[in-house]
Amino acid sequence: MTVLVVGEPASYSGEASSRAHIDLPGQQQALIQAVAATGKPYVVVLMNGRPLTINWLADNAPALLEAWQPGIEGETP
């Protein structure tokens, strides 16, 4: 079983953190698709501080856990 933890860093959310596209940043979707193509079981944990466009992920991942960023109380100093 493969557990893929993907999403955005905490710095991508909050005031003055606008993005033109709210897809998974970088090559994360390509990584998930490559793992899916192996045919081996996998699950996805999504860490983010705002809604993301995850159409392919929602339609294809066998399991998807929306974890969200923990906020200021969950960050380490």
Side-chain angles (χ1 to χ4, degrees):
M1 170 73 64
T2 301
V3 178
L4 294 162
V5 181
V6 298
E8 299 179 308
S11 62
Y12 278 29
S13 296
E15 293 183 41
S17 298
S18 296
R19 292 179 52 208
H21 302 281
I22 55 172
D23 300 330
L24 285 170
Q27 296 298 311
Q28 295 180 85
Q29 180 149 334
L31 170 65
I32 298 165
Q33 290 171 328
V35 170
T38 69
K40 306 241 180 200
Y42 71 98
V43 298
V44 179
V45 178
L46 186 59
M47 298 286 297
N48 51 297
R50 72 172 115 216
L52 297 175
T53 53
I54 56 166
N55 298 342
W56 186 92
L57 188 57
D59 290 341
N60 293 283
L64 176 60
L65 172 65
E66 178 74 45
W68 296 101
Q69 296 289 352
I72 195 162
E73 294 296 323
E75 295 178 15
T76 53

